[in-house]
Amino acid sequence: MGGDDDGNRKVGCCERFHRSISKWMLPEELHEQYRERANCCPPPIFIILISIGELAVFIYYAVWKPQKQWVTLGEGIWNSPLTYKSDRREEAWRFVSYMFVHAGVEHILGNLVMQLLLGIPLELVHKGFEVGMVYMAGVLAGSLASSIFDPHSALVGASGGVYALIGGYFMNAVVNFREMIPLLGVFRIGVIVIIVGTDVGFALYRRFLTHDVGLKVSFVAHIGGGVAGMTIGYVFFSAYNQKLLKDPRFWLCIVGYVVFLLFAVLFNFFLSPA
């Protein structure tokens, strides 16, 4: 397989791909270490399976649960046993299962594109366990934060998990900025700010300014997932080839996350106005 020259040998497409991944995901001193270990075994199976599951559920509600249109799905998703609703929060699975249900084509396409573009490279570097933990921590943090700060709203979509990946990647881009190629670092941070600003703006518009009939969709999951990513995600994604159990930041983030979970559960049991 031909490619660019690297000394006296040809660099293949696979190696060029892994070089690009290392530049986007890791500081410069770790590039060589990553390339020495780089392979696609196991493949980025977590983010691919999650994406297939979300797409399958969307197609189910769009095709087999007749809707008025594909662009914005109607009663089918609001009556779904997967959707998070404040008045059904005793059905605990809804705090996680809402990630499979999306409100329309633009909703699911936005989430799928972001999590595949970001999740696949992250999983190639950090493997499925780390990416899966960060993603699911964002999903759960998103629904619990919504139940506290926007308790009367419904919740659908994988934005909590997507924003956890974005939050972890963003923190690494900021913290490792000096170790990155300056123009690349500015570009990474700029793209994240533009995407997040646009998406959050749309979520705020949909929550407060639209007059569509139906339940209002909370935007708080974006914030909850992002905070989970900037804490737990940052620790997981910055600890390349390191033992997390020996990292005090890991335990600090885990304890903080557990305290938040306990508070959110107690709030839903005893204090929620919903």
Side-chain angles (χ1 to χ4, degrees):
M1 190 185 305
D4 299 330
D5 287 323
D6 184 16
N8 294 323
R9 68 183 181 87
K10 295 287 187 178
V11 178
C13 293
C14 184
E15 187 170 347
R16 290 204 307 271
F17 173 72
H18 283 296
R19 285 186 175 186
S20 299
I21 293 294
S22 66
K23 289 179 181 178
W24 280 97
M25 297 293 160
L26 293 167
E28 189 172 1
E29 67 268 14
L30 296 176
H31 290 180
E32 189 64 34
Q33 183 181 358
Y34 166 74
R35 291 196 294 268
E36 289 175 358
R37 301 177 56 212
N39 60 69
C40 295
C41 295
I45 193 68
F46 171 81
I47 205 69
I48 291 175
L49 288 179
I50 285 290
S51 299
I52 291 174
E54 291 166 1
L55 183 59
V57 171
F58 176 81
I59 293 173
Y60 171 77
Y61 281 105
V63 176
W64 284 279
K65 290 284 188 181
Q67 310 290 331
K68 292 181 180 179
Q69 56 181 333
W70 272 62
V71 176
T72 303
L73 304 187
E75 289 300 315
I77 64 166
W78 302 127
N79 295 325
S80 170
L82 303 177
T83 300
Y84 171 78
K85 292 181 176 180
S86 59
D87 60 344
R88 304 295 292 272
R89 64 187 186 281
E90 70 278 1
E91 298 171 349
W93 69 83
R94 291 177 182 262
F95 283 92
V96 174
S97 64
Y98 77 94
M99 72 179 182
F100 290 105
V101 190
H102 289 78
V105 170
E106 85 291 339
H107 193 199
I108 190 168
L109 284 182
N111 281 339
L112 287 182
V113 168
M114 282 304 303
Q115 69 188 31
L116 287 172
L117 285 179
L118 192 55
I120 287 177
L122 281 171
E123 198 165 341
L124 285 171
V125 174
H126 300 285
K127 304 307 178 185
F129 175 77
E130 286 86 351
V131 173
M133 289 289 289
V134 173
Y135 190 92
M136 297 309 299
V139 168
L140 188 54
S143 57
L144 289 173
S146 181
S147 72
I148 295 172
F149 298 106
D150 198 7
H152 296 291
S153 296
L155 198 58
V156 294
S159 295
V162 173
Y163 270 70
L165 298 182
I166 293 174
Y169 182 69
F170 175 77
M171 285 298 293
N172 274 284
V174 172
V175 172
N176 296 320
F177 184 84
R178 292 185 178 181
E179 285 74 34
M180 304 292 294
I181 300 171
L183 186 60
L184 179 60
V186 171
F187 179 76
R188 293 199 310 170
I189 295 173
V191 168
I192 292 173
V193 170
I194 291 172
I195 292 174
V196 170
T198 302
D199 189 55
V200 171
F202 179 74
L204 290 170
Y205 169 79
R206 185 171 53 192
R207 172 64 179 86
F208 294 109
L209 299 179
T210 58
H211 300 289
D212 296 339
V213 177
L215 295 175
K216 290 294 186 179
V217 180
S218 177
F219 66 95
V220 179
H222 297 70
I223 300 173
V227 172
M230 288 189 288
T231 53
I232 291 179
Y234 167 63
V235 172
F236 273 101
F237 297 156
S238 65
Y240 177 71
N241 200 30
Q242 298 178 24
K243 295 186 180 299
L244 283 172
L245 296 181
K246 296 182 178 180
D247 190 337
R249 297 174 304 167
F250 171 78
W251 292 108
L252 182 64
C253 289
I254 291 298
V255 170
Y257 189 79
V258 170
V259 169
F260 165 72
L261 290 183
L262 292 175
F263 172 79
V265 170
L266 293 175
F267 179 90
N268 276 278
F269 268 113
F270 302 111
L271 301 174
S272 176

